[in-house]
Amino acid sequence: MASPFDELKFRDPERARALSGALAREVEAAGRTISLMHVCGSHEQAIARFGLRAAFPRNLDVIMGPGCPVCVTDTPEVDEAVALAAQGARVCTYGDMLRLPGNSKSLADAQSDGGNVEVVYSVSQAVDLARQRPAEQVVFFASGFETTAVATAAVLLSGVPENFSVLSAHKYVPAAMDVVSEMKETNIEGFIAAGHAATITGWGIFEPFAARTRTPVVVAGFEPLDVLAAVLELVRLVRARRPEVMNCYPRCVSKEGNGPALEKLWKVFDVVGGNWRGIARVPRGNLELRSEWDHVNARRRFRIDTAAVGGASRNVLAEHCICGTIMSGLAKPSDCTLFGKECRPDAPVGACMVSSEGSCKIWHVYGGPPDLREVA
Amino acid sequence: MTGGGKVGLKHGAGGRAMRALIEEVFLGLASPVDGIGLSALDDGAAIRVGDRWLVITTDSHVVHPIFFPGGDIGRLAVSGTVNDLAMMGATEPLALTCAVILEEGFARDDLVRIRDSMLEASREAGAPIVTGDTKVMGHGEVDGIVLNTAGVALCDRVVTDAGLRVGDRILVTGSVGDHGMAVMVKRHALGIQGDLRSDVAPINGLVRAALLAGGEDVVAMKDPTRGGLASVLHEMAGKAKVGVLLDETAVPVNAEVRAACEVLGIDPLVVANEGKAVIGVRPGAADRVLAALRAHPLGRRAAIVGTAIADRPGQVILDTGLGRRLLAEPDGEPLPRIC
């Protein structure tokens, strides 16, 4: 019986070989090493899972930047959630956020301390919990880029019970690219933008960035051929010195994006500055609820006492963690002395080993340092 | 051992953690034997008796749910032990034992169903059940039923799981992932429609066909149960100190299994099988053994999937058809991705 996957045209090895061949010729013709960056855990997953780095030419570097919204969620944000749990609120969040370390505790720790912490699969599930438990305060610790922020916005707009509020740790994708392009020590010549976020924002959002930084951007999907084709187009733009935005994911992404979704997003959220873990203060990095939504904003509604749960207990292992450097694209997971040894998915030291979107976790799951170009 | 010195579920999941537990705790039981004993950590032991080998193995079975599409715990218990004997090269089992621990309140009708399927499987395998033991524990002291079987067989040549040499080819006797996905979808009530059925079966007849065709060129065998094909290949590579290059596109995976795995974010290579073998053969015999497997009703989808290489000893390199990466050794039970 023919499988629907036998015909998955975005995983066709023959077309992949053709693209790899074209890529090798482009990079060779450039006569130097070209470094590209993607800013999305799902791209890293596609690259790692399908072993694409072994299909890239030797002098092409495709680096993962700060593309994991969970990983860049800062310690004080985790502390706020931990404090709310300690203060008696029921804190609901996505599974990836559970083990993310705060100053001294994660939400998983808060849970073992007897706090009410629940993993939910959607914001609506958190709202349902609030409806079922009217006597409790239910706080949704929201994470993710625009794609998930839209879901949070839609739920708020459709009306939530009085005992429901949001603690936003939502991050804004264009900021991730700004951060890296402003780092003097990086040598990134082109960016691969995340296709799913672009389905919401549209690819047009990257045009000012490309013009300002003189760096080309391609919007890419998440199947192996999507990634290969996007990398090839990006190398061509780099070689031609054309700082343009190219949409390599037209089956999902338009220039304008999803109008109704954007309308909902900006009705509820504002772009504000914030600290990204291990990286820097990012001027337009966070999505915070607009002031009209103060009544559902946990930060406005409750006095959150993070001092009570902070308290620096010195974590010797964490001092060796180089997550920040990895997320900035300046080091690889395998450059970290803890990678795969003291730091593993079942006992993560840094944020990048916690989230399934984190580069360390992805490398670990898909076999570690991926460069097999030398193996016969 | 992680987990604060306590045993965790992952220590029974067939991966790195389980191997560490066995090495750290149970290897202390090992003593020298004339043959292959505990320290070999193989599917069973082989003790020299005159000019032949007595192969012996034991296996306890717990599965949730007890009845699943394609089989039940009874069929599993008989097949598991028969297959462990076969993986040592002993394809004609002399006898099996059956020890059962039941929870107070267990339905007698279910027990009869389980007995019947044990009987059916033992007839398929030609392996009579000759002795047994029954215990009942209080409600909540054991989860439903635990079934243990042991088996003995004689053979002239023992095949271990450590015999790979550079250049050897690696065969799998059919599609992978069927058992684990059938059980997982039923267990988590995932509501995935389609014909997901366990492959649980005694495969001593199939293995006999491979051994008849390949003779001494069959150099390594192991059944890819918990931890799946990935775990077996790591073990074979580690014990033989060779690398393994696995061609992912050559690994047979049923369409239903592939679809369920894709939806749930699970790699079929780490999913359990209960009616398959991974067989290492010298390169010259690969086609002959493949033909013999395919001629058997349980081996129609057999395929050559990999090669032992000199690079990266102890590791498994996965060629995805699009590129290459290392295959991680499974650690813990694969869990369905929810988001």
Side-chain angles (χ1 to χ4, degrees):
Chain A
M1 175 188 148
S3 149
F5 292 89
D6 289 343
E7 293 174 305
L8 249 185
K9 53 189 176 183
F10 299 105
R11 294 183 187 176
D12 175 34
E14 219 159 289
R15 295 178 67 189
R17 271 191 291 278
L19 286 169
S20 305
L23 187 57
R25 288 190 293 278
E26 282 293 332
V27 174
E28 201 192 334
R32 62 190 160 87
T33 295
I34 295 179
S35 297
L36 309 176
M37 177 176 277
H38 70 80
V39 283
C40 178
S42 303
H43 279 145
E44 188 60 29
Q45 278 172 2
I47 291 169
R49 173 177 170 196
F50 295 101
L52 297 185
R53 275 202 184 83
F56 292 157
R58 200 169 288 277
N59 41 1
L60 174 71
D61 265 341
V62 180
I63 300 162
M64 174 164 168
C68 165
V70 173
C71 305
V72 299
T73 298
D74 205 12
T75 5
E77 293 174 285
V78 177
D79 288 347
E80 287 177 311
V82 171
L84 282 167
Q87 287 167 237
R90 184 170 293 273
V91 176
C92 304
T93 193
Y94 297 123
D96 275 14
M97 299 289 276
L98 200 64
R99 303 178 82 162
L100 192 63
N103 199 348
S104 65
K105 280 180 182 169
S106 68
L107 278 173
D109 298 327
Q111 198 173 32
S112 358
D113 290 348
N116 288 321
V117 177
E118 303 235 7
V119 169
V120 292
Y121 304 113
S122 68
V123 54
S124 338
Q125 206 187 336
V127 173
D128 290 344
L129 269 170
R131 290 211 169 92
Q132 288 155 18
R133 300 167 178 274
E136 289 182 4
Q137 285 297 333
V138 173
V139 176
F140 179 59
F141 186 29
S143 83
F145 287 125
E146 290 91 314
T147 23
T148 41
V150 164
T152 308
V155 159
L156 289 181
L157 284 164
S158 68
V160 293
E162 192 279 327
N163 62 330
F164 177 84
S165 47
V166 171
L167 179 69
S168 173
H170 282 304
K171 307 291 167 195
Y172 188 52
V173 163
M177 287 155 61
D178 284 332
V179 167
V180 177
S181 67
E182 278 158 26
M183 283 183 186
K184 293 285 168 279
E185 57 276 50
T186 55
N187 192 22
I188 305 298
E189 294 186 73
F191 283 94
I192 302 162
H196 40 30
T199 58
I200 307 291
T201 61
W203 60 263
I205 196 169
F206 300 110
E207 284 191 321
F209 170 86
R212 181 162 46 78
T213 61
R214 311 285 305 152
T215 314
V217 176
V218 296
V219 176
F222 302 96
E223 289 294 331
L225 291 192
D226 284 324
V227 174
L228 283 171
V231 168
L232 175 61
E233 290 305 330
L234 188 54
V235 169
R236 284 179 175 153
L237 289 175
V238 167
R239 287 198 57 214
R241 298 182 190 285
R242 281 166 46 197
E244 295 166 12
V245 180
M246 185 182 280
N247 180 13
C248 291
Y249 198 29
R251 67 184 187 278
C252 294
V253 174
S254 65
K255 182 169 186 181
E256 301 74 26
N258 182 337
L262 281 172
E263 197 182 311
K264 286 192 167 74
L265 180 68
W266 299 127
K267 259 187 192 160
V268 172
F269 287 101
D270 235 344
V271 178
V272 299
N275 285 325
W276 282 18
R277 180 189 298 247
I279 297 183
R281 173 139 190 106
V282 181
R284 288 162 50 79
N286 290 0
L287 292 168
E288 178 56 290
L289 295 176
R290 301 172 69 93
S291 53
E292 304 93 283
W293 296 91
D294 276 356
H295 57 291
V296 288
N297 186 342
R299 291 194 179 94
R300 302 277 175 274
R301 222 170 139 174
F302 307 110
R303 207 183 66 80
I304 306 177
D305 188 8
T306 52
V309 296
S313 63
R314 185 163 170 262
N315 184 336
V316 181
L317 273 185
E319 287 169 16
H320 294 280
C321 170
I322 59 165
C323 273
T325 324
I326 292 169
M327 283 189 284
S328 311
L330 299 172
K332 298 182 167 72
S334 53
D335 294 332
C336 180
T337 54
L338 306 176
F339 177 72
K341 300 186 185 90
E342 290 88 348
C343 184
R344 307 174 56 89
D346 53 356
V349 177
C352 297
M353 191 59 94
V354 173
S355 169
S356 53
E357 297 274 301
S359 48
C360 295
K361 171 88 174 274
I362 295 167
W363 279 37
H364 192 273
V365 167
Y366 293 114
D371 195 348
L372 292 169
R373 283 177 283 205
E374 82 279 13
V375 174
Chain B
M1 197 170 82
T2 54
K6 298 232 167 99
V7 174
L9 276 175
K10 67 176 181 175
H11 292 110
R16 199 180 56 89
M18 183 169 106
R19 210 173 55 212
L21 178 78
I22 292 172
E23 284 170 2
E24 288 160 22
V25 179
F26 292 107
L27 266 190
L29 292 172
S31 55
V33 291
D34 183 10
I36 295 161
L38 186 59
S39 57
L41 298 180
D42 211 320
D43 296 294
I47 298 160
R48 205 185 297 274
V49 178
D51 57 354
R52 302 195 79 191
W53 295 92
L54 176 73
V55 178
I56 178 163
T57 190
T58 183
D59 213 337
S60 293
H61 297 268
V62 284
V63 63
H64 255 286
I66 293 166
F67 301 96
F68 48 82
D72 59 38
I73 194 170
R75 184 170 179 79
L76 191 63
V78 170
S79 304
T81 293
V82 167
N83 294 347
D84 277 350
L85 292 173
M87 293 307 112
M88 303 293 292
T91 59
E92 286 169 39
L94 288 172
L96 302 180
T97 69
C98 164
V100 60
I101 302 173
L102 293 163
E103 182 183 9
E104 175 186 19
F106 193 83
R108 278 187 68 135
D109 285 352
D110 286 348
L111 198 55
V112 170
R113 253 178 97 184
I114 291 166
R115 178 206 62 194
D116 288 346
S117 77
M118 290 186 82
L119 189 59
E120 188 185 296
S122 85
R123 284 178 178 154
E124 283 171 43
I129 295 167
V130 296
T131 185
D133 177 58
T134 309
K135 295 281 184 298
V136 178
M137 296 183 74
H139 181 70
E141 291 174 8
V142 61
D143 194 2
I145 179 171
V146 178
L147 203 48
N148 174 280
T149 54
V152 289
L154 286 166
C155 69
D156 296 319
R157 175 174 167 261
V158 169
V159 181
T160 69
D161 54 8
L164 286 182
R165 275 197 325 228
V166 171
D168 288 346
R169 306 306 308 276
I170 295 159
L171 289 79
V172 55
T173 61
S175 60
V176 303
D178 300 270
H179 174 75
M181 291 316 290
V183 170
M184 192 183 302
V185 165
K186 182 96 193 275
R187 179 188 301 163
H188 296 288
L190 294 173
I192 291 176
Q193 307 282 314
D195 194 21
L196 283 166
R197 292 176 68 80
S198 168
D199 60 346
V200 58
I203 54 164
N204 52 324
L206 177 66
V207 173
R208 195 182 306 134
L211 288 170
L212 281 172
E216 303 221 330
D217 286 338
V218 174
V219 293
M221 291 197 290
K222 197 158 189 72
D223 51 345
T225 54
R226 289 160 305 168
L229 183 57
S231 198
V232 163
L233 293 177
H234 272 98
E235 218 165 319
M236 285 186 166
K239 287 184 177 176
K241 299 187 175 58
V242 296
V244 166
L245 180 61
L246 176 65
D247 178 0
E248 188 175 24
T249 59
V251 177
V253 183
N254 282 326
E256 293 82 358
V257 169
R258 192 181 293 282
C261 282
E262 187 71 25
V263 169
L264 300 171
I266 287 171
D267 183 351
L269 299 180
V270 308
V271 178
N273 309 276
E274 291 293 346
K276 299 290 153 41
V278 181
I279 305 180
V281 298
R282 297 285 181 246
D287 289 336
R288 206 162 66 236
V289 173
L290 180 65
L293 288 171
R294 285 186 171 168
H296 191 280
L298 291 175
R300 281 197 206 103
R301 295 195 64 197
I304 299 175
V305 296
T307 309
I309 58 172
D311 271 313
R312 308 267 175 163
Q315 297 188 322
V316 181
I317 294 171
L318 183 71
D319 190 322
T320 65
L322 302 149
R324 282 179 175 186
R325 65 173 163 95
L326 291 178
L327 185 61
E329 187 172 4
D331 194 12
E333 202 73 38
L335 285 173
R337 171 190 60 204
I338 306 294
C339 59

